[in-house]
């Protein structure tokens, strides 16, 4: 039986069998229209979700104005992250504000919208889930593939959930970032021009990457 929830914890993905992971991804894809409709209802008139990169600017501004965080107790952190590596546990002890369930759910919906902007504006990008290796940080999670040139064997992907779901913070107002989603999309556009250029080379790529805007 699959978990029919769009926002999952990392351990929930990792505990999926190959069959369950495949079934969950099929449900995920089928459920995208519902999640986008719910996001559209939530944002209302201030934001027009027309799948343009520019829409990310107003969407992020709106999200920052409505997101909410709650402070976790040390007991809660030990219960939730007690089996995590020591460095993660220490980081959680310092960043004890966590997004509420409602904020995390909004973040997941925004992550899907962000992914749809990629796939709808670039025919070479597509949704899939990470099937291997098991050590991959996004194992079994839905991601966007297609971020590498056709002549490379490595299949590059981007997890929009890592960008859409809000991070833990040391502030009740959440992480202090602005313009991230829009800038990330523009960086991809610039990188694609480099990757797919007839005179592509690693040296040229690295040289021009240094000239890209920093996030």
């Amino acid at each position: 039986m699959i978990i029919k929830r769009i926002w999952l914890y990392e351990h929930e993905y990792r505990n999926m069998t190959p069959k369950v992971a495949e079934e969950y991804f099929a449900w995920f894809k089928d459920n995208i229209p519902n999640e986008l409709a719910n996001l559209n209802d939530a944002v209302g008139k201030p934001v027009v979700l027309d799948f343009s990169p520019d829409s990310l600017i107003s969407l992020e501004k709106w999200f920052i104005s409505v997101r909410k965080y709650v402070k976790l107790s040390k007991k809660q952190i030990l219960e939730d992250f007690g089996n995590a590596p020591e460095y993660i546990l220490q980081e959680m002890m310092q960043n004890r504000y966590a997004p509420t369930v409602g904020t995390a759910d909004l973040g997941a919906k925004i992550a899907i919208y962000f992914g749809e902007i990629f796939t709808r504006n670039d025919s070479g990008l597509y949704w899939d889930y990470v099937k291997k290796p098991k050590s991959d940080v996004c194992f079994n999670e839905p991601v966007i593939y297609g971020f590498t040139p056709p002549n490379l064997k490595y299949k590059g992907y981007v997890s929009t959930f890592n960008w859409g779901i809000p991070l833990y913070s040391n502030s009740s107002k959440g992480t202090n970032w602005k313009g991230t989603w829009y800038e990330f999309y523009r960086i991809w556009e610039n990188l694609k021009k480099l990757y797919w250029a007839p005179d592509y080379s690693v040296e040229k790529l690295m040289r021009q990457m240094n000239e890209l805007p920093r996030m």
Side-chain angles (χ1 to χ4, degrees):
M1 182 176 180
I2 68 170
I3 305 173
K4 292 187 176 181
R5 192 175 75 247
I6 213 72
W7 172 50
L8 303 182
Y9 293 98
E10 182 180 344
H11 72 269
E12 291 178 301
Y13 285 115
R14 292 199 171 278
N15 291 337
M16 290 179 179
T17 64
K19 182 180 179 181
V20 170
E22 181 180 5
E23 291 175 348
Y24 175 79
F25 180 70
W27 172 84
F28 172 87
K29 285 290 298 294
D30 290 342
N31 198 53
I32 284 178
N34 295 330
E35 298 297 331
L36 294 179
N38 291 337
L39 177 62
N40 193 63
D41 290 341
V43 299
K45 294 181 179 180
V47 182
V48 178
L49 302 181
D50 58 2
F51 300 100
S52 67
D54 288 349
S55 66
L56 292 168
I57 299 173
S58 55
L59 178 59
E60 184 166 320
K61 183 178 180 180
W62 170 83
F63 179 66
I64 290 174
S65 72
V66 300
R67 64 186 181 174
K68 296 180 180 179
Y69 285 72
V70 293
K71 191 172 185 178
L72 299 178
S73 67
K74 291 185 178 180
K75 181 180 178 181
Q76 284 176 297
I77 293 173
L78 289 172
E79 289 177 353
D80 294 343
F81 299 92
N83 295 326
E86 183 64 23
Y87 74 92
I88 292 181
L89 186 60
Q90 291 301 319
E91 183 178 349
M92 289 306 305
M93 287 296 183
Q94 295 176 6
N95 301 315
R96 292 169 56 185
Y97 287 92
T100 63
V101 172
T103 295
D105 185 66
L106 269 179
K109 289 174 171 55
I110 291 172
I112 292 173
Y113 177 72
F114 192 14
E116 287 291 290
I117 289 179
F118 278 115
T119 60
R120 295 186 186 211
N121 288 283
D122 193 316
S123 60
L125 303 178
Y126 58 95
W127 284 102
D128 202 347
Y129 66 102
V130 180
K131 303 176 181 67
K132 60 181 181 180
K134 290 184 178 181
S135 59
D136 194 294
V137 67
C138 293
F139 182 62
N140 283 336
E141 295 184 27
V143 297
I144 304 296
Y145 273 101
F147 289 92
T148 44
N151 60 333
L152 293 184
K153 292 183 180 180
Y154 171 74
K155 294 177 64 178
Y157 71 78
V158 163
S159 170
T160 56
F161 282 84
N162 288 342
W163 292 79
I165 293 180
L167 301 175
Y168 292 90
S169 173
N170 59 7
S171 167
S172 61
K173 295 182 179 180
T175 53
N176 184 24
W177 43 256
K178 294 182 180 180
T180 304
W181 302 330
Y182 175 78
E183 289 178 11
F184 186 85
Y185 187 88
R186 291 307 182 196
I187 286 175
W188 155 241
E189 288 188 323
N190 289 330
L191 283 178
K192 185 172 183 181
K193 294 176 183 177
L194 303 179
Y195 274 144
W196 271 258
D199 57 345
Y200 165 79
S201 69
V202 175
E203 292 76 15
K204 182 178 180 180
L205 174 64
M206 296 305 296
R207 184 172 64 253
Q208 293 183 286
M209 278 183 66
N210 290 329
E211 301 174 0
L212 294 176
R214 300 300 179 187
M215 291 183 289

